[in-house]
Every structure is written in C-alpha cells, then in structure tokens.
Amino acid sequence: MAVAAVLVATGLTVALPAEAQSRRAPAASASVAASSGAPARYSVVRDVNFAQTMPSASGTLVLFVSGEDDLAARGLDAATVDAIKTGLTGARYTYGARKNISLYGVAGWDRIYVQGLSANATGADMQTAGTIAGRALMSDPATLTVAAKGQSNDTVSEIVTGLGIGQYRVDFYNTTTSRPVTGAVTVITDSVEAQSHYRGRGAAIVEAMNWTRNISNEPANVVYPDVFAARTREAFAGIPGVTIEVLDGAAMERLGMGAILGVGRGSVRPPAIVAVRYRGVQTDAPVALVGKGITFDSGGISIKPSANMGNMKMDMSGAAGVVGAVLALAKAGAPVDVVAVAAVAENMPDGNAIRPGDVLTAMNGKTIEIGSTDAEGRLVLADAIAWADTTYNPSAIIDVATLTGSVGGALGPDYAGLFSRHDALAAQVVAAGKASGEQVWQLPMNPAYGSRISSPIADYRNGGEPGPGAGLGAEFIGEFVRPETPWAHIDMANMAYGGGNDVKPAGSAGWSVRLLERLVRDFQPVVKEKGTGGH
C-alpha cells in the first residue's frame, strides 16, 4: 500500500509530501497563527462530579422536571419544594419540552434553573434538555448542582452529556469577550453507578463533539489538509487500539486518485486522505465512515457567490464528523471495529485548477467529466470510498457530506437526507438517528438517475445540470462503491452549521457525531449482495 506514513497512536510522526507534489503552503498570518495544537481559548467543559447527598444551598440549583410532582422526587426538602412551587406559580410557568425559567434568591440558592421535559421524553429528548440548560448556564460563574434523584442512570447520563454539549462557545477568536470562570457541576443522584455510566460514554461524546466543532469552526487559513491530519493525530494520541494512516499527494498519485487530486490542484495546500481505525474488537471487516473534508470551498473555476462564502470553511464537516465519531468510540473503549476515512482538500481557482469540461480518472479507473468544479465533494468521496472499499473490505460504508443545497429545500432544518441501495442498512441509520436525536429521512435512488449523470465523453459527469441535485449526487457517489458492499450516503448540508439558537451557538453543529457513534455501537452486519433498495 502506498502511503505517506502509517502511524500508531503513540510516538506519532508523519512524512511531509514530496516537494514536487506539495507546493507547500505559505505561513499563516501573524494575527491568526497556524498551529496543530488546540488553542487555549477553546471552550472548557465544566468538571463533573457525582454525589448522593444534597449540599447546602449555594450557587445554582438545576432541575429537570416534566411536572410539579417531579420537584419532590429530586431529593429536595419540603420547604425548598414549596418555595420553588410558589415561585413557578407566580411566574406562570408551564412545564414542557424546551420551556425553562430561572428563579433568583429562592430557598437560599443564588439561582434555581428549571428545565422542562415532556412527559414521555426519550433519551435524545433528555440530552436536548441538558443542551438547552448548558447553553442557558454557560456564562453562569457559579457551581451548578443538578438535583437528579429519582432519575435513571440513562437519564442522568443523557442530561449531563447535554450540559457538556451546550456549554460550547464559538467565539474563540474574539479578544474583547470576557469569559467568566465557571464552577464545577455536581450531580446529586441516588445511584452509585451514575458516574461510571456517564464516564463510560457521555463524557467521550462531549469531548468528541467539541473537537469536531472546533476544527470545523476554525478559519481556513488555520485549518487546511496538513493541519487536519496533525490535529487528528493529536486527538488520538495514546488511545489504545488506534492506528492512523495518511495518504499524501505522492501516495495518491501512485494510487491513481485523480479525482481528489484534481480538486486540490487549484490550491497551494495539497490534499490528503486521513484514515483512523479503532479496533475495540478484532474483526476483518470494520464499519467504514467516509467524510467529505473540503477545508475551504470557493467553488473553484465555477466560483460561488461571495455572500456566505465564509461558511465554506465548514465544508469539511463530514470529515470532522466521521473522525469525531471514532474519537467518541475510542475514548469510551467501545467494543467495535470502525475506521474513519477523511477526504481532505481545498477547492480554489488558481491557474492550475481543473475546469468545466476537463476529464479526471478516479482510483478505480472510472472517468469523470467535470460539469461543475463546485461539485467537488462527490469527487473527493469517489476516491476515498473506492480506497476504503478495497483497502478494508468493510462490513458497510456510510459516507457523510455537506454535499448539496437541494437537500435543504427538500427537508428543511429537521432531517439530513439519507440515500441507500441497501434497505437493511438504511433502516439501521434511521434507527440510530432517532435514538441520537440527529435524524435522517430516506430519499429515493431512482434508477433513471444513472442516465442523468452520464457523459458523452467519459463514464460520468459530476454535475452542472438542473434536477434532483441531492439524488444525483448520491447516484454519482454510489458508482464508486462495489455493488455488494452495504452503503449509505448522508447529505447533511442543511444540518452541519447555521445560526445560533437555544441548542447551539452559530457555526458548526458537530452534526453526525452522535448519529454515527450510535450507529456503530448498534451495528448489525448486513448481507453483502448487490443492493436493490432505496427506490
């Protein structure tokens, strides 16, 4: 196998790309120094402790309740319960999902924060409630006491996981923002197993979500393919069972990866494929998660409008998400075999860039006419998927990408688009979405789409024509997977980033980490046969 370096998660080093291939990137500006190390200004998650006895009233008391009766079940004394009821009644508070209120100076507490739950809340609903509370309290300097007696280990873990996710801040380059030093979280529960329950999974999800958001939110003059690879190595350093493989430009040339190399031709920063395998169990067929990693997408020669182009620093959200999902699984020591393959490149329009009408040859020998250089995501995925399929002989491939604007027109801000020829795998993805709260909606793969991506001069055309853009993108990507390999494509262009709300700040949502983590944990092997579903 031609690679730049094979790395084990200790003593990590990587060979630089061959000079003839690299056209090395210039130094970043002094105002924002490029570094593979995580800046100290990134969000810091509050320490989390567990106890079985309520402390004396001090700081902020946090309650998650679906109705008035829940107040007495949280381990509070009768006088405190009565005082809270009086305050909520006076404020005309109504319980329910996403409804919250703060009471100040009640029962000796500086603040009592009440977060509503629906009566039939799922685990995902509990985590969302925790996330909303984390957002509301992220600037509260006080120690947080979460009264959680009467709630199950699963519920407590989901709530505390949500609290950690909700504390994330995106303003890490704002030098005028004064952030308060926040106190720890103490969770009061009657279960002696609650702490190990959370440490065994939830804490790793919080860390992985933060990593995914951080690298996605970084500007493109700080994070580009080489830095993505370096930050990945740092994130996994010392974790047992992890190996990291990096393909540089020279290695990809030898493998014939003309599609991803074509995308990267217009940039002084060469592309890379970063593969992270975590073996919590030994198998011969890992689940392969493949992510689109365009660290900046100008559109290339088919240049994008200037409005909102800055968000294209987050066009690598698929790559960040698949690496983040494996980080969550590896940090938790999950008993799974999984590999994340990140196809990382920068799509720029210099004199060496590919043009509409050019023809590229992918790793599997198939030829691609360029209809639009702004349909670059499917090009980098074509080589990455073909390589993952032949290198790992995976039990399934799930690719994740901010691929098309059309998926948002179809599904709005509530679901990512799911495409698959293998109904049994698609059903597992849908189930994982519901369990994690990162939901998908399956869209059709019409056999007629094949003729829509054909080219008169090459095997395929990568885009540029009107029509069902998300479906045509999926059809194109599917041509680079062996027909018998169970495969699903998730187009999350409408979910990966956006404006702030009660669940997330502006910027990256870290979307797909929880979905993929759940999918891999629960994965059941699918029979390898030519897929016929999804129509």
Side-chain angles (χ1 to χ4, degrees):
M1 181 187 307
V3 296
V6 177
L7 306 161
V8 181
T10 55
L12 302 177
T13 58
V14 63
L16 290 172
E19 194 64 34
Q21 299 293 332
S22 68
R23 295 192 300 148
R24 295 285 301 281
S29 65
S31 60
V32 183
S35 169
S36 60
R41 53 183 162 266
Y42 280 169
S43 294
V44 177
V45 177
R46 294 176 188 258
D47 291 335
V48 179
N49 307 302
F50 290 78
Q52 292 180 275
T53 304
M54 282 291 297
S56 300
S58 176
T60 298
L61 175 66
V62 185
L63 299 165
F64 293 85
V65 292
S66 58
E68 190 174 86
D69 291 344
D70 284 349
L71 292 171
R74 297 294 175 261
L76 306 174
D77 62 76
T80 299
V81 171
D82 288 342
I84 294 171
K85 286 180 180 179
T86 299
L88 295 179
T89 300
R92 299 182 180 178
Y93 176 72
T94 56
Y95 298 86
R98 300 181 93 112
K99 295 183 178 180
N100 54 69
I101 190 172
S102 288
L103 305 174
Y104 294 91
V106 173
W109 295 90
D110 298 332
R111 178 182 187 180
I112 297 178
Y113 176 89
V114 179
Q115 178 64 54
L117 301 170
S118 60
N120 56 349
T122 65
D125 294 334
M126 294 290 185
Q127 191 177 108
T128 297
T131 303
I132 293 169
R135 287 278 290 149
L137 298 168
M138 68 178 179
S139 296
D140 190 331
T143 297
L144 306 184
T145 300
V146 180
K149 290 202 171 188
Q151 294 177 303
S152 69
N153 285 336
D154 284 340
T155 294
V156 172
S157 182
E158 295 290 4
I159 285 173
V160 180
T161 300
L163 277 171
I165 293 170
Q167 292 166 40
Y168 183 82
R169 303 178 67 116
V170 71
D171 56 350
F172 41 80
Y173 283 115
N174 189 329
T175 61
T176 65
T177 299
S178 178
R179 297 184 182 182
V181 177
T182 53
V185 177
T186 300
V187 183
I188 309 302
T189 172
D190 39 23
S191 170
V192 296
E193 300 173 352
Q195 178 167 336
S196 60
H197 201 78
Y198 167 70
R199 304 288 183 209
R201 186 178 185 195
I205 290 175
V206 172
E207 183 174 346
M209 287 279 289
N210 276 0
W211 185 89
T212 300
R213 283 175 159 178
N214 287 341
I215 202 165
S216 299
N217 283 325
E218 284 280 17
N221 62 321
V222 172
V223 169
Y224 38 89
D226 285 352
V227 176
F228 186 97
R231 294 242 183 138
T232 298
R233 293 194 301 271
E234 289 179 352
F236 285 88
I239 302 177
V242 173
T243 55
I244 297 177
E245 196 172 341
V246 177
L247 303 184
D248 65 9
M252 288 187 281
E253 288 278 8
R254 290 191 293 270
L255 289 166
M257 292 183 169
I260 186 171
L261 287 169
V263 171
R265 260 176 34 192
S267 173
V268 297
R269 293 160 172 149
I273 287 181
V274 181
V276 184
R277 186 169 185 179
Y278 163 66
R279 279 181 159 171
V281 293
Q282 295 294 316
T283 76
D284 295 326
V287 177
L289 310 176
V290 183
K292 171 189 172 183
I294 305 299
T295 57
F296 189 77
D297 182 19
S298 69
I301 297 298
S302 308
I303 197 163
K304 293 178 178 290
S306 60
N308 299 315
M309 191 193 286
N311 285 336
M312 290 299 97
K313 68 181 184 178
M314 291 178 283
D315 206 22
M316 38 73 74
S317 295
V322 299
V323 172
V326 174
L327 182 61
L329 292 161
K331 282 279 187 180
V336 299
D337 186 5
V338 61
V339 59
V341 178
V344 196
E346 191 174 60
N347 187 24
M348 298 293 285
D350 84 352
N352 197 46
I354 56 172
R355 298 149 294 225
D358 284 0
V359 175
L360 306 177
T361 302
M363 175 186 167
N364 62 358
K366 294 183 178 182
T367 55
I368 305 162
E369 179 192 6
I370 302 303
S372 169
T373 64
D374 194 25
E376 83 299 326
R378 64 202 70 185
L379 297 177
V380 301
L381 287 173
D383 277 335
I385 284 175
W387 180 76
D389 202 7
T390 56
T391 301
Y392 297 103
N393 190 30
S395 54
I397 294 175
I398 301 92
D399 78 79
V400 188
T402 49
L403 202 76
T404 69
S406 64
V407 75
L411 298 176
D414 301 307
Y415 298 89
L418 168 66
F419 299 85
S420 182
R421 297 186 295 246
H422 300 82
D423 288 343
L425 176 60
Q428 292 191 51
V429 178
V430 170
K434 290 179 179 178
S436 66
E438 294 186 334
Q439 297 207 62
V440 299
W441 193 272
Q442 188 169 6
L443 295 170
M445 294 196 69
N446 192 317
Y449 290 172
S451 63
R452 301 287 296 274
I453 64 169
S454 64
S455 164
I457 191 173
D459 296 326
Y460 308 110
R461 194 166 187 263
N462 80 321
E465 68 287 324
L472 297 180
E475 184 71 25
F476 181 95
I477 293 166
E479 294 296 331
F480 295 85
V481 187
R482 292 178 294 188
E484 68 273 14
T485 300
W487 161 75
H489 162 66
I490 299 173
D491 188 341
M492 64 168 191
N494 56 328
M495 307 299 290
Y497 53 86
N501 54 40
D502 63 343
V503 177
K504 63 172 288 293
S508 172
W511 203 93
S512 78
V513 171
R514 290 171 289 179
L515 164 66
L516 298 174
E517 189 268 355
R518 170 58 70 180
L519 174 66
V520 173
R521 277 186 179 270
D522 295 347
F523 180 75
Q524 296 297 316
V526 178
V527 175
K528 283 197 170 188
E529 59 186 6
K530 185 176 180 179
T532 58
H535 302 319

